[in-house]
Amino acid sequence: MTWRAAWLRLWRRHGLVLGFGALAVVLLWVVPQIALAQAAPNAPTAPTVPLPQINLGISPARSPQQVVGALQILLLLTVLTLAPTLLVLCTSFTRIIVVLSFVRTAMGTQSTPPNQVLTGLALLLTFFVMAPTIKAVNTNAIQPYLKHQISQSVALNRAVAPVRTFMFKQTRQKDIELFYAISKEPRPRTPADVPTYILIPAFVISELKTAFEIGFALYIPFVVIDMVTSSILLSMGMMMIPPIIISLPFKILVFVLVDGWNLVVAALFQSFGK
């Protein structure tokens, strides 16, 4: 039997089985592809998130009210930008933060308490000191303006009046005279005649002077502790040891024993006449 006859005999026996197997493989691969192709157009798509579109442009105003509205928005943004400066310069924040910084420097604790803690404490004490002023501004200016009982200019004048009263109580007459001499303005007859642009810098200088006076009083006990510690180390012959390393724990201990933070805050409120 030749190889050709053997091949024909094998094909006659198993050819039908091989043909059906190949047909089944083709059907198993083609049918799912056809089904996916038919189902794809009808399949639900994932929801898309719309992206916002911002258009900035300048167009001519058609009425005076639009111009006034734009100017009011510009003025509001300017006030919000200057709000931190106004908070620092026109309130008790300057004196409080300077005194707290003096306490930390006198103790020699470097960055303890950290700046964030001192600033937060100074803000809280500022709100506490300025509470009567803030209440007067809210009662006389903000609430009537929100109820449309007064105009914006009247509300601004009413809001400035309590703040000016607070600043006049804390400002020395000598500092006001200094800025009048610099600006060469005519001398006022009453406190109401003092312009705000002269009152604010005079108030800031007075606050700094008062803060430095309180800081000097706070420095004295800590300087005494440093001097005593330095004298003891010299008498013992320990000249290579920095006195600040030995005196720092004692200064912290003394400050805690006398309840230093309570005394500092009480001194601050007494300086404001609380």
Side-chain angles (χ1 to χ4, degrees):
M1 183 183 298
T2 62
W3 64 271
R4 181 176 299 178
W7 172 257
L8 292 174
R9 185 177 180 183
L10 181 62
W11 175 257
R12 290 173 182 174
R13 291 182 178 180
H14 304 287
L16 186 60
V17 177
L18 293 175
F20 279 112
L23 181 60
V25 170
V26 171
L27 291 177
L28 289 176
W29 181 79
V30 172
V31 172
Q33 297 298 326
I34 297 174
L36 290 176
Q38 293 178 353
N42 300 326
T45 59
T48 58
V49 179
L51 297 177
Q53 182 179 2
I54 301 176
N55 295 323
L56 299 178
I58 299 176
S59 59
R62 298 180 180 178
S63 63
Q65 289 77 9
Q66 294 180 353
V67 178
V68 173
L71 293 178
Q72 289 179 348
I73 294 175
L74 180 61
L75 179 61
L76 178 60
L77 293 177
T78 304
V79 171
L80 291 177
T81 304
L82 298 177
T85 304
L86 296 176
L87 176 63
V88 170
L89 297 182
C90 299
T91 62
S92 59
F93 181 82
T94 302
R95 183 188 307 184
I96 294 174
I97 192 63
V98 171
V99 171
L100 295 180
S101 300
F102 268 120
V103 172
R104 184 177 64 181
T105 306
M107 292 179 61
T109 53
Q110 302 299 327
S111 59
T112 304
N115 293 329
Q116 293 83 352
V117 175
L118 288 185
T119 304
L121 179 59
L123 286 174
L124 292 177
L125 295 178
T126 299
F127 291 143
F128 193 85
V129 172
M130 301 297 296
T133 304
I134 296 174
K135 183 178 179 181
V137 171
N138 181 59
T139 303
N140 300 329
I142 298 178
Q143 293 301 325
Y145 177 73
L146 295 178
K147 296 178 182 179
H148 304 285
Q149 297 176 355
I150 57 177
S151 62
Q152 186 176 8
S153 59
V154 175
L156 182 60
N157 293 331
R158 290 187 180 183
V160 172
V163 180
R164 285 173 55 89
T165 302
F166 171 79
M167 289 193 291
F168 269 117
K169 291 181 180 179
Q170 311 301 329
T171 305
R172 299 182 303 168
Q173 184 177 357
K174 182 179 180 181
D175 295 329
I176 297 178
E177 294 176 354
L178 170 64
F179 286 97
Y180 265 102
I182 296 174
S183 62
K184 297 180 181 181
E185 293 284 342
R187 298 302 174 93
R189 296 180 179 179
T190 61
D193 298 332
V194 178
T196 305
Y197 75 90
I198 290 180
L199 178 59
I200 292 178
F203 169 75
V204 174
I205 291 180
S206 300
E207 288 291 283
L208 290 176
K209 182 180 183 298
T210 306
F212 274 71
E213 291 175 351
I214 299 175
F216 174 77
L218 291 172
Y219 251 98
I220 293 178
F222 297 109
V223 171
V224 171
I225 295 176
D226 287 334
M227 293 177 62
V228 171
T229 304
S230 179
S231 301
I232 294 175
L233 292 177
L234 288 175
S235 63
M236 297 176 63
M238 299 180 179
M239 294 178 293
M240 301 301 294
I241 300 178
I244 187 64
I245 297 179
I246 307 300
S247 63
L248 179 59
F250 290 99
K251 289 190 289 187
I252 296 176
L253 178 62
V254 171
F255 190 77
V256 172
L257 290 178
V258 300
D259 200 359
W261 292 112
N262 187 290
L263 296 177
V264 170
V265 173
L268 282 171
F269 283 113
Q270 291 176 1
S271 67
F272 287 108
K274 290 290 182 180

